[in-house]
C-alpha cells in the first residue's frame, strides 16, 4: 500500500476574528495548526481553555490541535504554509525582524484585505519585492465572508486565487468543509484590489447611512461602486475578468450591507458626526478601509481613473471635508 501523503504544516499569523474563523475551518482538514498570536494573555487562554478571549470566544478548540507561538520567526520555520491574517497597516512592523530568506521553500497565503501603507503594495507584491518570493508560491484567500457567520457554521463560499493553479487547488482543499465551499481563480491582482476597494465603498455606505440616506440611494451607490472598482482594476491590471463573480460583487455586497461589516460601522459613525479619531478609538477592530482609502488615492495618481466615491471618502477622512457637503457633491457624479 502506498504511503499516505503527509499533511502540510499550516501556520496562522493573527489573532483576530478572521484568524480565529480560519483556524476553525482548517481544523476540519488537518490534525493541528501552528498559530501565532501577539498578546500573551490570548496565548495563555488558547493554551489553557482552547478559546480566543477577545474574538469569537464562543468557538472552542481542542487544545491538543493548537501549537501556539508568540514568535513569528519560529512559526514560519515550523510551517509549510503560512496564512497571514493581520491588518495590512501592521505587516511591515511585525515582519521587520524576519530574515530575507525566511520564506524560502514556503507557501504564503494572504487573507488580509488591505494594502501595505508604507509602500502602497498589495500583499502579494510585498512578499515578491521584500522577500524575493515567486508568485507561484503565493495565494490570496477571499470572500464574501464574515468571521461571525463562520463561527456559527453558516454556509460560506471562499475563493483562492493564485498564478499557480496547483497551489490554489491545494489551498482550496485545505479550506473546504461542510460549511465552506471553495473555488479557485488565477486573478490574484484583481481579487486583492477588489477586497481592498470594497472596504472603501463600505465606508461610503456607512457614511450615507449615518447622514440619513435610504436604501434607494445606497443601491445606486453600490452599483456605481462596482463600476468604479471595474475601472480601477482594469487600469492597474488589465486582463479579461467578470466582476459579477462572488469574489468581486459578492464581497462588495456583504461588506456594504452586513451588520458585521466593521468598515460600514466605521463609516456610519463618521456620517453620524464622530471625528475620525473618535470613531477609531471607539471601535475594537481595525477598519482596513481607512488605510486603504489613502493608499488607493496615492496609487490612482498614476492611473487617473475616475473614482468619485473613493475620492469622496478620501476627502472626508483625510481632508476633513464635511461628510454632508462631500456626499452632496458626489450625488451629481454618480448615476
Amino acid at each position: 500500500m502506498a504511503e499516505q501523503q503527509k499533511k502540510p504544516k499550516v501556520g496562522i499569523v493573527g489573532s483576530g476574528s478572521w484568524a480565529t474563523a480560519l483556524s476553525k475551518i482548517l481544523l476540519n482538514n488537518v490534525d493541528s495548526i501552528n498559530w501565532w498570536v501577539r498578546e500573551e494573555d490570548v496565548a495563555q487562554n488558547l493554551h489553557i481553555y482552547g478559546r480566543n478571549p477577545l474574538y469569537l470566544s464562543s468557538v472552542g478548540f481542542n487544545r491538543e490541535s493548537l501549537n501556539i507561538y508568540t514568535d513569528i520567526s519560529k512559526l514560519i520555520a515550523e510551517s509549510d504554509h503560512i496564512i497571514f491574517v493581520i491588518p495590512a497597516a501592521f505587516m511591515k512592523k511585525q515582519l521587520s525582524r524576519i530574515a530575507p530568506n525566511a520564506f524560502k521553500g514556503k507557501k504564503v497565503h494572504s487573507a488580509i484585505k488591505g494594502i501595505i501603507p508604507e509602500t502602497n503594495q498589495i500583499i502579494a507584491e510585498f512578499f515578491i519585492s521584500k522577500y524575493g518570493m515567486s508568485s507561484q508560491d503565493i495565494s490570496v484567500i477571499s470572500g464574501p465572508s464574515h468571521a461571525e457567520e463562520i463561527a456559527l457554521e453558516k454556509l460560506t463560499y471562499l475563493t483562492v486565487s493564485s498564478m499557480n493553479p496547483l497551489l490554489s487547488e491545494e489551498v482550496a482543499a485545505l479550506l473546504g468543509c461542510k460549511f465552506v465551499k471553495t473555488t479557485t481563480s488565477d486573478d490574484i491582482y484583481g481579487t486583492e484590489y477588489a477586497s481592498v476597494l470594497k472596504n472603501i465603498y463600505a465606508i461610503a455606505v456607512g457614511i450615507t447611512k449615518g447622514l440619513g440616506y435610504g436604501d434607494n440611494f445606497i443601491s445606486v451607490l453600490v452599483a456605481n461602486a462596482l463600476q468604479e472598482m471595474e475601472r480601477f482594476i482594469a487600469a492597474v491590471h488589465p486582463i479579461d475578468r467578470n466582476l459579477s463573480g462572488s469574489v468581486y460583487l459578492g464581497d462588495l455586497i456583504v461588506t456594504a450591507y452586513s451588520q458585521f461589516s466593521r468598515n460600514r460601522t466605521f463609516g456610519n459613525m463618521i456620517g453620524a458626526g464622530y471625528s475620525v479619531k473618535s470613531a477609531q478609538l471607539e471601535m475594537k477592530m481595525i477598519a482596513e478601509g481607512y488605510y486603504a482609502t489613502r493608499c488607493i488615492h496615492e496609487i490612482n495618481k498614476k492611473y487617473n481613473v475616475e473614482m468619485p466615491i473613493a475620492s469622496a471618502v478620501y476627502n472626508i477622512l483625510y481632508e476633513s471635508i464635511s461628510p454632508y457637503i462631500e456626499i452632496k457633491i458626489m450625488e451629481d457624479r454618480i448615476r
Side-chain angles (χ1 to χ4, degrees):
M1 182 181 292
E3 185 179 349
Q4 187 175 4
Q5 186 174 4
K6 186 179 179 182
K7 291 184 178 180
K9 295 179 181 178
V10 181
I12 295 276
V13 177
S15 57
S17 56
W18 190 215
T20 305
L22 283 170
S23 298
K24 176 182 172 72
I25 294 170
L26 286 163
L27 286 170
N28 284 273
N29 297 309
V30 296
D31 297 327
S32 65
I33 58 170
N34 300 331
W35 191 352
W36 175 86
V37 297
R38 182 171 59 87
E39 304 91 343
E40 287 287 349
D41 58 333
V42 174
Q44 287 299 315
N45 268 270
L46 286 167
H47 271 304
I48 298 170
Y49 304 110
R51 294 181 186 273
N52 184 337
L54 300 180
Y55 302 99
L56 303 187
S57 56
S58 63
V59 176
F61 295 96
N62 177 354
R63 290 172 298 169
E64 294 181 359
S65 68
L66 305 178
N67 304 311
I68 306 299
Y69 295 77
T70 53
D71 184 331
I72 293 183
S73 60
K74 290 183 179 178
L75 176 133
I76 293 170
E78 293 295 324
S79 305
D80 304 312
H81 292 261
I82 303 106
I83 302 175
F84 283 88
V85 207
I86 57 178
F90 304 148
M91 274 285 287
K92 197 166 184 181
K93 178 181 178 182
Q94 293 293 349
L95 296 181
S96 61
R97 297 182 181 180
I98 301 300
N101 63 347
F103 294 99
K104 185 176 182 180
K106 309 291 183 180
K107 311 296 183 185
V108 165
H109 316 286
S110 170
I112 299 169
K113 300 177 179 182
I115 294 182
I116 306 296
E118 296 91 342
T119 57
N120 292 331
Q121 292 174 306
I122 56 175
I123 307 303
E125 290 175 328
F126 173 74
F127 278 101
I128 291 169
S129 65
K130 176 74 173 177
Y131 295 100
M133 291 195 68
S134 166
S135 60
Q136 298 293 303
D137 295 326
I138 298 172
S139 82
V140 175
I141 301 166
S142 302
S145 57
H146 279 304
E148 293 83 358
E149 290 200 355
I150 287 174
L152 297 171
E153 300 192 359
K154 300 286 187 180
L155 181 60
T156 298
Y157 289 70
L158 297 179
T159 296
V160 181
S161 304
S162 177
M163 294 181 181
N164 179 349
L166 294 178
L167 179 61
S168 57
E169 290 288 351
E170 182 181 3
V171 178
L174 285 172
L175 295 173
C177 63
K178 65 180 181 179
F179 54 92
V180 175
K181 296 182 183 294
T182 58
T183 188
T184 61
S185 168
D186 62 358
D187 185 18
I188 191 169
Y189 285 90
T191 53
E192 277 220 73
Y193 274 114
S195 70
V196 169
L197 288 163
K198 54 95 177 180
N199 287 332
I200 299 173
Y201 300 134
I203 291 176
V205 169
I207 291 171
T208 57
K209 285 296 287 185
L211 288 169
Y213 286 79
D215 291 342
N216 292 346
F217 176 77
I218 288 171
S219 67
V220 175
L221 179 64
V222 172
N224 277 261
L226 182 65
Q227 297 167 28
E228 189 170 300
M229 179 186 291
E230 187 169 20
R231 291 194 298 270
F232 181 83
I233 295 174
V236 174
H237 192 247
I239 64 169
D240 185 23
R241 60 171 63 87
N242 182 0
L243 262 65
S244 66
S246 61
V247 73
Y248 310 104
L249 176 58
D251 208 6
L252 171 62
I253 290 172
V254 77
T255 311
Y257 285 100
S258 176
Q259 62 178 320
F260 297 122
S261 171
R262 65 191 69 172
N263 290 282
R264 177 187 163 118
T265 299
F266 176 73
N268 189 73
M269 295 168 74
I270 299 298
Y274 282 74
S275 69
V276 171
K277 187 172 289 294
S278 295
Q280 289 175 316
L281 288 172
E282 186 151 326
M283 288 189 67
K284 295 180 180 179
M285 296 183 285
I286 297 293
E288 286 273 21
Y290 170 74
Y291 300 99
T293 297
R294 183 169 59 186
C295 293
I296 292 296
H297 179 80
E298 292 297 320
I299 293 169
N300 197 37
K301 289 179 179 179
K302 175 181 177 181
Y303 298 100
N304 294 313
V305 175
E306 183 183 3
M307 303 183 76
I309 302 171
S311 295
V313 175
Y314 176 83
N315 288 339
I316 292 167
L317 298 184
Y318 288 95
E319 299 294 341
S320 300
I321 305 297
S322 160
Y324 175 81
I325 293 173
E326 192 62 39
I327 298 301
K328 276 292 181 186
I329 294 170
M330 188 190 72
E331 285 179 16
D332 294 325
R333 298 187 66 194
I334 62 175
R335 290 289 185 269

